Amino acid sequence: MSAQATPGAASRPAGAPRLDVSCCGGGCSSPPPPASEKSSTLKGESHEGHDHDNASGGDHDGHDHGALPGWGRLAAALVAATGAELMDLLGPDTTPWRVAGMAIAAAAILLAGLGIYRSGLRSLMRGKLGISALMAVAVTGAFLIGQWPEAAMVMALYALAERIEDRAVGRARDAIGALLALSPDQADVRGADGQWRTVPAAEVAVDDTVRIRPGGRVPLDGVITSGRSAVDESSVTGESLAVDKVPGDPVYAGTLNAQSELEFRVTAAAGQTTLDRIIRAVEQAQSARAPTQRFVDRFAAVYTPAVFVMAIAVAVGAPLLLDWTWLDAIYRALVLLVIACPCALVLATPVTVVSGLAAGARRGILIKGGNWLELARGVRAVAFDKTGTVTAGRPALVGRETFGSDGAADVAAALAGRSDHPVSKAIAAGLDAPAGMPEVEDFTALPGRGVQGRIAGTTWLLGNRRLAQEKGLWTDAVEAAAAAHEAQGRSVTLLADGQAVRALFAVADTLRPQAAQAVADLRALGIVPVMLTGDHAAAAQAAAREAGIDEVQASLLPEHKLAAIAALQQKHGMTAMAGDGINDAPALAKADIGFAMGGAGTDVAMETADVVIMNDDLRRVAETVRLSRRTHAVLMQNIALALGIKAVFFGLALAGHATMWMAVFADMGASLLVVANGLRMLRSESLSK
């Protein structure tokens, strides 16, 4: 099967990723056709010149589809083959009539199988026994022993089945390749004179300002500089709900602006966007074949020559040992060759794996190889980092108490709003002060303690325990209130005037909304969740308790996390690690499978992890395991179908009850079955069940 074009491929800039999803899984010797050839292939034109033989002695010698004819030649071949069959059945048994029938049959064979013959001869000259070589031998042999009507129809039906199969396999390719069409080819860019111009997206430079109209797709990655809108990011993160965007928020190529006009500063040029990196990662994932696929490839490489030897043994040995006629023995041997073609067996894995990769990508799960897709089913424990993984990684105001001061909230909001400290920002955001906030004078930062300022003639302090103690404002009541929050891992900030503490504000890194459900999903799959964090024990225990994680190891340095991963592997078996892909890089590498919270395209996460969760939804970890288990089940079904059908018809052929027609239906029927079964993986709902 030749590679088909993906939408928009011809218009991609130089260096853009190219997807080539085929049964050969990247092992074919033929170079990819240029964009113009790929486009014509989509229209059903000739595949000639794109044989899938493996010249390098690689893994797919059993499945060289050869050059497939176009639909017009196929129709002519089928008409000619039908004519040859009718002439044989209805015509008189005379030499001129038989010669005419043989000529029509030969025309049908050449129309349907000329490219297959060429590929088969090249395969035989290299000592490879693929499907084209087997079909060429079988059809030629049938023609020479007088079964010319059957030989013509078999070749025509085989080429037709290959065409149908090629179209079906294209669905898996298109499921990923459609990503290429998401990013528009043009962009509205503001020039140096302030005027807007429409230019090719490939010509837009980093730091240029680009405008996106409502309903338009984002052409490149960037940061919003003007406007507010909701953006549909499902193409990148898999998140179905639109995300509200304001100035300072990132936008990603291929996403859809749903509401209002936006302007953004470009942060990644064409070919380097998040969408481009996703496509490249999926393309590279196809070359990292799953263990089952590697086994099938090795098996097919031995199986095909073995069958060829068996067919020769039947053709030569049966007349000598079993009193079969020579013509009958040769015919049965030829039928065996067609039945035994490993086409369905070799197709069983790549179509399923690529469909699984595409299904994951649709859900925001970027799996960086078929091996990880299949191995994830064996995960028995998942170690979670805390900050940025189980929690959001951003402090938020989670509690407050006042000590006899009604206006404390407004005062605290005014002071916190003047500070750049993350805790102060969390307090300011959480209090959501009204527009008439009091004016702050003589604002001063107190390093390591807090801030102070004068409001309406009164000096106020907003700071930590140390500041209150130094000012002599720490009391038993304040101690009791602070201790209750600190026991839950919260950071306590106090508001005081010159006489007493007037309010207490508790800030903490909040749990991700999906964390508890993600842990429950893992437990339902029989997987043990564990928390490994460098945070202090109180904060770790509080977050773990809220998420439903029983086993917690806190205050860990990176080298301690490595030892903890090794201990989990010893205790539970295959262990995965979920982290942010930066601080947790050593643990991600040590784990059997590393899950990175990609934050919609973190470079380090994309490089270090085996699986990247593009929208930081922890539930995707369990979905990956479910997808892996489903993929493995479909792989086993496909292998059983391929070998089972062949075994049945193999027995029929040896018993003399199978014709060459039946052989073609056995081989190509099995191929179409495994393709259809593998394509079921594209249904994304299978991940959430």
Side-chain angles (χ1 to χ4, degrees), residues 6-9 11-12 19 174-186 201 212 215-221 232-238 252-257 273-276 278-279 361-362:
T6 51
S11 59
R12 303 299 296 172
L19 286 173
D174 295 342
I176 299 173
L179 291 172
L180 287 167
L182 293 177
S183 185
D185 294 326
Q186 294 185 318
I212 326 160
R217 286 200 177 272
V218 181
L220 300 160
D221 287 2
D232 179 358
E233 296 184 337
S234 58
S235 59
V236 173
T237 67
Y252 307 104
T255 57
L256 181 67
N257 179 22
T273 67
T274 297
L275 184 63
D276 289 319
I278 290 173
I279 295 169
R362 286 176 172 179

Side-chain angles (χ1 to χ4, degrees), residues 501-573:
V501 171
R502 301 302 183 184
L504 177 151
F505 302 94
V507 171
D509 187 5
T510 56
L511 204 70
R512 288 190 182 276
Q514 313 89 355
Q517 183 60 52
V519 171
D521 290 347
L522 288 173
R523 290 190 185 280
L525 293 171
I527 297 171
V528 178
V530 180
M531 180 179 286
L532 305 179
T533 178
D535 210 342
H536 59 85
Q541 289 288 353
R545 186 166 50 250
E546 192 176 353
I549 299 174
D550 298 328
E551 185 176 343
V552 181
Q553 298 183 42
S555 302
L556 299 179
L557 296 174
E559 58 266 28
H560 297 152
K561 286 189 179 183
L562 289 177
I565 291 290
L568 289 172
Q569 291 170 327
Q570 185 70 24
K571 179 179 179 181
H572 298 289

Side-chain angles (χ1 to χ4, degrees), residues 377-392:
R377 67 188 176 88
V379 169
R380 295 293 175 262
V382 176
F384 291 101
D385 175 48
K386 172 186 167 288
T387 305
T389 302
V390 175
T391 63

